[in-house]
């Protein structure tokens, strides 16, 4: 096929708060910064005294030194993580993750400095642990509740910001749509401005264009707009530079929305090559600390799960052996990280073991299924041996599901961006699977949808997102009518 199917064209719009996809990001210091600091310090202090009281000890001057160290470290860590920035244009999990990272750094610094500077503390270790745990829970909960409260009042029109868009382009239209569809962010769309005549404007945008770009600049100078989003094509570099110079005479927050389609695919980020800035387009989110966290997550979860399912796996293995001829474990070549071939383990569910250039997908009432093969596949029990793949480091608990090599070679030719799903390790469960995209892909569109969700997962990855997918898998991801 000559024309590739581009999943980016069909991919559903991400919330406007998606910072790494060129979404609307607000980085100015929030007016609530002082309020947030006071609440945080009150929480930490309250639970310090509450933990001491729970264990029946008195907080003396030496113990107060430990609290002082903790408070100072918390403020320093918060500045480093930018905890008190405005989170208006970001997802809630991003804000909660920043709070969790801040508290984790604070705990480490408190224990380290406390060891050297605090001696003969009257607070016992269990009370310290209770303090750390209770403060963490409270810091997360109060932020979540406050976030929901702000969303509610912003929807009513309070605590809102006025915004305009420069550029009657498809990108500008998408930004406007995102603003209107995310009222909880408190960003009000006031119109689009463009210098082109009405005969050169897209038909669907003509009614939203309020004037020329100079009119937009004048609005900003009169303090009638808070945010300006420039959605011009990158080829208009000189025009963008001129507009930015004009905007420097205003107090509006100005954002340039890049129209690179890859921003909708992966975590684009800036990197330095010597003294040259390079934009990382096709990249993996698992680098440095993120890679370590992901690996720790996989090891801990896979060991815990294998411990729980060891006896059921033995029973399944015996059932496979007794009900059909052939090996218990089916080993199939699939693509892993960076498109390198790995061997994936499954309980054998078919009488055949296709692993060559042609692999026929299982269909409803497939004659190749063994007596218990259909049951194993519908319940995903055939995939339990893949937790061993996870321990080996070849797979992850959560990630894009690996396809047979033959299917990879087929779909990479007809779906643009298909191989980008291999920028991370394949997973036992994934964002596509918990959204119902399991089983046979008898049409190309179904595979396009899978790729959309896989790229969305890579783009949005966080530990919290992984945990969400694991819980969704437990409650609704194992059983699926489309898995034959």
């Amino acid at each position: 096929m000559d024309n590739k199917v581009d999943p980016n064209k069909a991919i559903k719009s991400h919330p406007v708060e998606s910072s790494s996809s060129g979404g609307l990001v607000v980085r100015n210091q929030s007016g609530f910064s002082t309020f947030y600091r006071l609440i945080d310090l009150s929480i930490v202090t309250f639970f310090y005294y509450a933990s001491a009281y729970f264990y029946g000890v008195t907080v003396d001057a030496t113990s107060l030194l430990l609290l002082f160290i903790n408070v100072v470290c918390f403020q320093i860590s918060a500045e480093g993580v930018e905890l008190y920035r405005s989170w208006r244009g970001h997802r809630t999990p991003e804000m909660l993750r920043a709070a969790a990272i801040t508290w984790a750094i604070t705990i480490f610094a408190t224990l380290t400095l406390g060891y050297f500077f605090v001696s003969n503390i009257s607070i016992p270790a269990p009370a310290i642990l209770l303090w750390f745990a209770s403060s963490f829970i409270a810091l997360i909960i109060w932020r979540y509740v406050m976030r929901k409260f702000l969303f509610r009042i912003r929807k009513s029109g309070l605590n809102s910001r006025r915004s305009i868009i420069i550029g009657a382009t498809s990108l500008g239209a998408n930004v406007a749509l995102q603003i209107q569809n995310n009222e909880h962010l408190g960003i009000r769309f006031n119109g689009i401005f463009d210098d082109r005549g009405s005969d050169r404007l897209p038909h669907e945008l003509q009614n939203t264009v309020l004037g020329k770009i100079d009119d937009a600049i004048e609005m900003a100078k009169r303090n009638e707009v808070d945010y300006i989003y420039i959605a011009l094509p990158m080829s208009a570099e000189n025009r963008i530079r001129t507009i930015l110079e004009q905007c420097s005479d205003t107090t509006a927050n100005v954002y340039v929305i890049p129209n690179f389609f890859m921003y909708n695919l992966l975590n684009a980020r800036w990197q330095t090559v010597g003294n040259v800035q390079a934009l990382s387009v096709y990249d993996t989110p698992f680098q440095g600390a993120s890679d370590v966290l992901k690996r720790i997550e996989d090891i801990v979860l896979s060991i815990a799960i294998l411990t729980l399912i060891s006896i059921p796996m033995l029973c399944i293995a015996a059932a496979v052996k007794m009900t059909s001829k052939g090996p218990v474990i089916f080993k199939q070549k699939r693509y892993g990280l960076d498109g390198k071939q790995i061997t994936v383990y499954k309980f054998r569910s078919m009488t055949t073991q296709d692993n060559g250039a042609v692999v026929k997908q299982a269909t409803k009432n497939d004659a190749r299924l063994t007596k218990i093969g259909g049951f194993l596949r519908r319940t995903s029990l055939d995939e339990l041996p893949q937790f061993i793949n996870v321990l080996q480091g070849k797979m992850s608990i959560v990630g894009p599901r690996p396809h047979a090599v033959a299917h990879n070679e087929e779909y990479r030719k007809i779906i643009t961006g298909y191989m980008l799903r291999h920028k991370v390790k394949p997973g036992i469960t994934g964002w596509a699977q918990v959204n119902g995209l399991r089983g046979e892909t008898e049409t190309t569109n179904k595979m396009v949808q899978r790729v959309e969700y896989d790229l969305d997962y890579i783009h949005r990855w966080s530990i919290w997102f992984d945990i969400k997918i694991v819980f969704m898998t437990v409650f609704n991801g194992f059983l699926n009518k489309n898995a034959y």
Side-chain angles (χ1 to χ4, degrees), residues 29 121 143 174 204 257 275 279 312 357 360 368 393-394 417 429 441 470:
Q29 192 72 9
I121 185 171
R143 271 182 167 74
N174 186 45
E204 65 275 11
I257 308 296
N275 61 354
L279 181 64
K360 182 183 177 182
R368 297 172 298 165
K394 297 177 181 178
T429 185
T441 52
V470 169

Side-chain angles (χ1 to χ4, degrees), residues 121-154:
I121 185 171
S122 61
I123 308 296
I128 298 295
L129 293 176
L130 177 61
W131 171 40
F132 287 159
S134 56
S135 295
F136 170 74
I137 295 172
L139 289 170
I140 296 298
I141 290 178
W142 102 262
R143 271 182 167 74
Y144 181 82
V145 173
M146 186 65 182
R147 180 82 161 176
K148 293 300 180 182
F149 171 72
L150 289 175
F151 284 173
R152 184 176 294 273
I153 66 173
R154 285 169 182 168

